[in-house]
Amino acid sequence: MPYVNIKITKEGATPEQKARLIQGATQLLVEVLGKNPQTTVVVIDEVATDNWGIGGETVTSLRKELEK
Amino acid sequence: MPYVNIKITKEGATPEQKARLIQGATQLLVEVLGKNPQTTVVVIDEVATDNWGIGGETVTSLRKELEK
Amino acid sequence: MPYVNIKITKEGATPEQKARLIQGATQLLVEVLGKNPQTTVVVIDEVATDNWGIGGETVTSLRKELEK
Amino acid sequence: MPYVNIKITKEGATPEQKARLIQGATQLLVEVLGKNPQTTVVVIDEVATDNWGIGGETVTSLRKELEK
Amino acid sequence: MPYVNIKITKEGATPEQKARLIQGATQLLVEVLGKNPQTTVVVIDEVATDNWGIGGETVTSLRKELEK
Amino acid sequence: MPYVNIKITKEGATPEQKARLIQGATQLLVEVLGKNPQTTVVVIDEVATDNWGIGGETVTSLRKELEK
C-alpha cells in the first residue's frame, strides 16, 4: 500500500528509465518492509528547470553557469 | 481551510469532470467536518501514464497488456 | 489507481469522521471518473495548528483572536 | 536541507518571478531557521486553472464570473 | 537534486529499515539517471492506519477484518 | 490562492519561528506575484531526523558523525 513520489527535473528521462525507477522503488518497499507490490503506487513528477531551485538559484541558471 | 490533492492518470478527464471532483471534495469536507468551503482548496494533478506505476509497472505498460 | 491526499488541521477529527472522508473521496472518484475503488488510496494528514497558516497567520493565532 | 513546494495557478508567472520565489523562499529558511541554502530545495508547481478549486469552484469558472 | 517522498503506514518500521529505504532510493536515482547522491533528498512519512484508506476503508478496519 | 508546503527536520523550531515562516512565505507570494494573502495557505511539516535522508544517509546518522 505504500505511495512513492519521485520528483526530478525534466531533462529527458526516457520511458525506459522511468519504468526502471517505478520497478526499483516498488522492489525496494517489498525487500525492506515486505510490502505488497500490487498495491504499491509510484508517481514520477518531472519539473521544468525554471521551476526547480537549489542554493537559491533555478536549475536553468545553474546549468548556464556550468556551460560558461 | 482544508487542502485536498487528487492525483489521477492523464487519460482525458474533461473540465466538467474536474469541476465535479472539486465540488464533491469540497462538499465532503463541509459535510463530514463542518469545514468552511470558501477556504477549502482542491488541486488536481494529471500524471502521464508513463510516470505512474502500480505493481512495479507503468500504467502505459499495463494498458498495453490489457489490449492484447 | 487515484491517490487522494487530504490535509486538515489537527483539531479532533474522530476515527469515524476520517473513515467517512476516506469512503467519500473513494466514492467520488468512482462516480465521476469510473475509477476502481480497490486501488484508490486516500491519505489524511492532520497538521498542528501552529504549523498551518492562512492570511499570513497561524491557525493557533487565528483561533485565539476569535476567542477574544 | 529544507524542501519547499510552492503551488500556484498557471497564469503567466515569468522565469524571473519564479527565480525570485526560489531565492526568497531559500532566504526565508536561512533567516528564520539558520538552514544551509546549498541544500535547500524549492519546487514550483504551476497548475492549470481547470485543475484548481476554491470554494467548490474551479479557478477557470471564478475568473469567468469576475469578467461578467 | 531529486526529491523522493515515501509514504507508508505507521506500523513499526525500524530506524534501520528507514535507513535502508533512504539508501536504496538514493542509489536508485544514481543508477538509473546518474543523479548526484549528495543533493538527493528522501523523506519518509509514516501515516497512522486510521488516516490511510484503500478500497474505501481505513487500514485500521482492514486489519481488523483480517484478524477475524 | 497559492499553497506552500515547507518541510523541515523536527529539531526544535519554535511556534514563533514557524509563525515567521508562514508570514514570510505569504508575503513572498504577495510581493512577487501579487497573490491575495487571505487565501494563501502555508503548511509546515516537521519530519523526524530518522525519516529524512540526504546523500543516502539519515539526518540522525549525519548528526552523529558531526558530533564525533
Side-chain angles (χ1 to χ4, degrees):
Chain A
M1 233 157 8
Y3 171 80
V4 180
N5 180 225
I6 299 173
K7 285 187 199 290
I8 53 175
T9 44
K10 192 170 182 61
E11 299 179 277
T14 64
E16 285 70 26
Q17 287 173 319
K18 293 189 280 192
R20 284 176 60 198
L21 289 178
I22 285 167
Q23 187 178 36
T26 304
Q27 190 58 21
L28 184 67
L29 272 295
V30 171
E31 280 173 14
V32 176
L33 293 175
K35 294 293 185 182
N36 178 359
Q38 291 313 313
T39 53
T40 296
V41 172
V42 183
V43 172
I44 300 168
D45 292 329
E46 294 177 280
V47 177
T49 56
D50 275 359
N51 291 18
W52 192 299
I54 186 162
E57 285 197 75
T58 65
V59 174
T60 303
S61 164
L62 292 167
R63 293 280 185 265
K64 278 186 194 157
E65 283 164 31
L66 279 176
E67 284 168 15
K68 279 178 193 168
Chain B
M1 231 157 11
Y3 171 79
V4 180
N5 180 225
I6 299 174
K7 285 186 200 291
I8 54 175
T9 44
K10 192 169 182 61
E11 300 179 277
T14 65
E16 287 70 28
Q17 286 173 320
K18 292 189 280 192
R20 284 175 62 198
L21 288 177
I22 285 167
Q23 188 178 35
T26 304
Q27 190 59 22
L28 183 68
L29 273 295
V30 172
E31 281 172 13
V32 176
L33 294 175
K35 296 292 185 183
N36 178 358
Q38 291 313 313
T39 54
T40 296
V41 172
V42 183
V43 173
I44 300 168
D45 292 329
E46 295 177 279
V47 177
T49 56
D50 275 358
N51 291 17
W52 192 298
I54 186 162
E57 286 196 74
T58 66
V59 174
T60 304
S61 163
L62 292 167
R63 292 281 184 266
K64 277 185 194 156
E65 284 164 30
L66 279 176
E67 283 167 14
K68 280 177 194 169
Chain C
M1 234 157 7
Y3 170 80
V4 180
N5 180 225
I6 298 173
K7 286 187 199 291
I8 53 175
T9 45
K10 192 169 182 62
E11 299 180 278
T14 65
E16 286 70 27
Q17 287 173 320
K18 292 190 281 192
R20 283 175 62 199
L21 288 178
I22 285 166
Q23 187 178 35
T26 304
Q27 190 59 21
L28 183 67
L29 272 295
V30 171
E31 281 172 14
V32 176
L33 293 175
K35 295 294 184 182
N36 178 359
Q38 291 313 313
T39 53
T40 296
V41 172
V42 183
V43 172
I44 299 168
D45 292 329
E46 294 177 281
V47 177
T49 56
D50 276 358
N51 291 17
W52 191 298
I54 185 163
E57 286 196 75
T58 66
V59 174
T60 304
S61 164
L62 292 168
R63 294 280 185 266
K64 277 184 193 156
E65 284 165 29
L66 279 176
E67 284 168 13
K68 280 177 191 167
Chain D
M1 235 158 6
Y3 171 80
V4 180
N5 180 225
I6 299 173
K7 285 185 199 291
I8 54 175
T9 44
K10 192 170 182 62
E11 299 180 278
T14 65
E16 287 69 28
Q17 287 173 319
K18 292 188 281 192
R20 285 175 61 198
L21 288 178
I22 285 167
Q23 187 178 37
T26 304
Q27 190 59 21
L28 183 68
L29 273 295
V30 171
E31 281 172 13
V32 175
L33 294 175
K35 295 294 185 182
N36 178 359
Q38 292 314 313
T39 52
T40 296
V41 172
V42 183
V43 172
I44 300 168
D45 292 330
E46 295 178 280
V47 177
T49 56
D50 275 358
N51 291 17
W52 191 299
I54 185 163
E57 285 196 75
T58 66
V59 174
T60 303
S61 163
L62 292 167
R63 294 280 185 265
K64 277 185 194 156
E65 284 164 28
L66 279 176
E67 284 168 14
K68 282 177 192 170
Chain E
M1 232 157 8
Y3 171 79
V4 180
N5 180 224
I6 299 173
K7 285 185 198 292
I8 53 175
T9 45
K10 193 171 182 59
E11 298 180 277
T14 66
E16 287 70 27
Q17 287 173 318
K18 292 189 282 192
R20 284 176 60 199
L21 289 178
I22 285 167
Q23 188 179 35
T26 304
Q27 190 59 21
L28 183 67
L29 273 295
V30 172
E31 280 172 15
V32 176
L33 292 176
K35 295 294 185 182
N36 178 358
Q38 292 313 313
T39 53
T40 296
V41 172
V42 182
V43 172
I44 300 169
D45 292 329
E46 295 177 279
V47 177
T49 56
D50 275 359
N51 291 17
W52 191 298
I54 185 164
E57 286 197 73
T58 66
V59 174
T60 304
S61 164
L62 292 168
R63 293 281 185 266
K64 277 185 192 155
E65 284 164 30
L66 278 176
E67 285 168 12
K68 279 177 193 169
Chain F
M1 234 156 9
Y3 171 80
V4 180
N5 180 225
I6 299 173
K7 286 187 200 290
I8 53 175
T9 44
K10 192 171 183 61
E11 298 180 278
T14 65
E16 287 70 27
Q17 287 173 320
K18 293 189 281 192
R20 284 176 60 200
L21 289 178
I22 285 167
Q23 189 178 34
T26 304
Q27 190 58 22
L28 183 68
L29 272 295
V30 171
E31 281 172 14
V32 176
L33 293 175
K35 295 294 184 182
N36 178 359
Q38 292 312 314
T39 53
T40 296
V41 172
V42 182
V43 172
I44 300 168
D45 292 329
E46 295 177 280
V47 177
T49 56
D50 275 359
N51 291 17
W52 192 298
I54 185 162
E57 285 196 76
T58 66
V59 174
T60 303
S61 163
L62 292 168
R63 293 281 184 265
K64 278 185 193 156
E65 283 163 31
L66 278 176
E67 285 168 12
K68 279 178 195 169

